[in-house]
Every structure is written in C-alpha cells, then in structure tokens.
Amino acid sequence: MIRFLENYSLQSHNSFGINVNTKYFFEFTELEELDIFLKSNKTVQDEKILMIGEGSNILFLTNFDGLVIHANIPGIEIVHEDRQNIWVEAGAGENWDELVTYCVDFQFGGVENLAFIPGTVGAAPVQNIGAYGQEAGSVIEKVKGYDLDKQQFMEYSKKECQFSYRNSIFKSKLKNRFIILSVIFKLDKFAEFNLEYKKLEQKVLELGEINLQNIKKAVTDIRSAKLPDVNEIGSAGSFFKNPVVDSDVARKIETKFKEIPIFEADNGKVKLAAGWLIDKAGWKGFREGDLGVHKQQALVIVNYGNATGMDIYNLSERIRQSVFEKFGVELEREVNCI
Ligand code: EPU
C-alpha cells in the first residue's frame, strides 16, 4: 500500500513532536512499490530526499523542502538456522522493540540489552543503536535496500556497513541515498549474556534468574525510569554522543572532579559520559518555557509542548558552549538535525 501526500505535517513522524511540513511524503509497504514510484514519478525525481523511520533520532529545524520517504515494510521471519545460530530477517518498518520481544520470546540472544529503544528496524543500522554494552551492528549480518543513485536493489554485508560507535556507512557515504528495506540479524540460540553494565546485572539479579526475559525486563525498567517516554514528552534520546578524548584530557578533569566516569576506548583514548559533563555544567532539570533538559538524564533534551526545532537546537548550542568552557571538551550531536 502506498501513500503519497503533498505539503504534509511531520509532527506525528518525529519523536520531538516538531510541527513542520514536508513538500512531499511517500510511504510504501512493498518493495516493488518503491521502484515503480521512483521510476514513474517524474515530479519528485529531482527533489532532495530524506528517509525516516519513526523519527526518533531527528530534529527538524524548519520545513522540509523535498521528499520524505517512509519504508513501512512489515514482517519478521526466520531465514536460516544451524545448531548454534538463527538468522532472522525483519522489515524496515517493524518497531524495534517488537523485534526484541520476538527474539526474547523465542530465546534468540543478541538484542535483549537493546530493549525499549524507540524507533524502527530500518533505523537501527543507520546509527548503530547501542545500549548496556550491546550494539545492533554486532548482530547484523546483512542490510538490504534500494540505492537511489543506481536505482537498484542492493545488499550490504556487516563489514560493508562499517559499523562504529553510533555510526555506519548509511550515516556517512550513503546518507540520503540508500533506503533500507530489511535487515538480517544473526542471533544466538545459546546466548552468552552481557551484564558488563553493573547496574543492569544488579537489576537482573533482583528479578531472579539470569535469562533473556529478565535482561529485557531489567533494561526496560532502567530505561523507563531514566529516559522520558516519547509518547508523553518530546525527545530523541541522547542528544549528544559520548565524547572520545585523549586520556590526558580526562586525567586533567579528574584532578578537579575525582568522581568523573571514564571508560576505555580504542587507540589508547577514553570515552567520557556526555550526560555527566552536562549534569556537572548545571543543566540537569533545566526548564525554560516548553524547552528543557531531562530531570533524570542530562543527555536528553526535551520538548514539553510547543518548542520549535530552532529553540531546541539553540539550547543544544548553549549546552555545548558551557561544557566546552567548563571542561574543554567538544560535544558532538548524535541527533540528526535537518
Ligand atoms: N550521568 C550523570 N548525570 C546524568 C547522566 C549521566 O552523572 O545526567 C553519569 C551516570 O551516572 C553514569 C554515566 O554518566 O556514570 C553514563 O550514564 P548512563 O549510564 O546513563 O549512560 P549514557 O552514557 O549517558 C549511553 C547511551 C544511551 C544508552 C545508555 C545505556 C550514548 C550517546 N548514549 O548513555 O543511549 O541507553 O548509554 O547504555 O551513547 C541513545 O542513544 O539515545 C541512548 C539513550
């Protein structure tokens, strides 16, 4: 089924709840519909294109003068299995948490720590969603989609996806050029649990046995206590990435703030917690009209009502500036600003 609309409001298509319009909006549920639409619809061929899922990692600064495409492909199915692993293919339009529920219900391990992350399956590889020591990229075997430049269906293997911390080829070289249609996950029948995140381990033990169900439940409980429910308060989860810096930078901050959380990263560098830096710079719980910084997690900027995209962007700039002044660390936005 397709929907093609003109001058359409995106308010219900972005978790910040920003009311902007797009010149064109195209939604489809079957692969062939996309190919036919793009090849036959001359009016939209030269438009600027933006792909969205549930819009849970996007901030619209203004109306979008182009074509927004929503691949609403449904379906979750097992495509292959052996003694150890099971391969599950999910359509880009499936809700991410529903895929996690499916996997946990069938005892397929590998995505349980990623429970309750807002968004679609199709968006998961783009920013390589991650939480509690797990990243989607590590269980993604293949990403299938449509290349707008080549006008053909293509597949990317895990290696070709170039996954790194909150990044992939779909966010860099293939940005706005590749429409993700489905993702194949390689999951484990005899999962090794990842409880390196101490608060998670504690929560799971409180629930009882260490198993996929309890891990999912613990993650869901932790997330719902700390992060705003996007159905109630507009937000896009973490607004910034956790900065990776030289260890001397971290040690220098540590001389003044003994309690600073420091995590090891690649190449002898370290990762700092952006939420901690923003919190220490005094922003946690900040509120100005409909704009705010979440009370429980300073990394999350919230829209309590009618804040505009520019209001949110300007607040993020003030936060970046103040963190830089206090700690000499530059924060990089994680949210995609359009
Ligand atoms: N902290 C504070 N104050 C705050 C927030 C955090 O002191 O206001 C401290 C915490 O106490 C902790 C450290 O900073 O010592 C890290 O905080 P937390 O464990 O909450 O995780 P995070 O680094 O802030 C990242 C992801 C989240 C993910 C969690 C759990 C990024 C940008 N964010 O947050 O992902 O759920 O870890 O793994 O990597 C998202 O991407 O939208 C997202 C929510």
Side-chain angles (χ1 to χ4, degrees), residues 56-57 113 117-118 127 129-134 165-166 197 199 222-223 226-227 236-242 259-261 263 271-280 284 294-300 334:
S56 55
N57 198 46
N113 293 32
I117 294 184
Q127 55 146 341
I129 56 171
Y132 308 108
Q134 236 172 33
Y165 171 60
R166 293 294 194 278
Y197 196 93
K199 279 185 197 142
I222 297 174
R223 288 190 77 93
K226 251 200 203 168
L227 300 165
S238 301
F239 198 91
F240 300 99
K241 291 186 188 180
N242 284 330
E259 74 288 10
I260 182 175
F263 308 94
K271 197 190 261 181
L272 303 179
W276 183 91
L277 296 168
I278 297 167
D279 186 351
K280 277 287 171 274
K284 196 173 187 165
H294 192 52
K295 290 193 211 75
Q296 268 87 38
Q297 167 53 294
L299 193 47
V300 179
E334 203 236 297

Side-chain angles (χ1 to χ4, degrees), residues 20-58:
V20 288
N21 282 357
T22 173
K23 191 168 161 193
Y24 298 110
F25 180 82
F26 176 62
E27 184 178 66
F28 62 101
T29 51
E30 282 172 49
L31 311 191
E32 302 71 31
E33 293 166 344
L34 173 69
D35 200 31
I36 296 168
F37 173 80
L38 290 171
K39 286 181 177 153
S40 62
N41 210 317
K42 299 275 179 270
T43 38
V44 298
Q45 262 177 12
D46 301 325
E47 295 289 342
K48 194 163 66 171
I49 285 176
L50 173 71
M51 262 71 77
I52 61 166
E54 285 170 17
S56 55
N57 198 46
I58 217 168

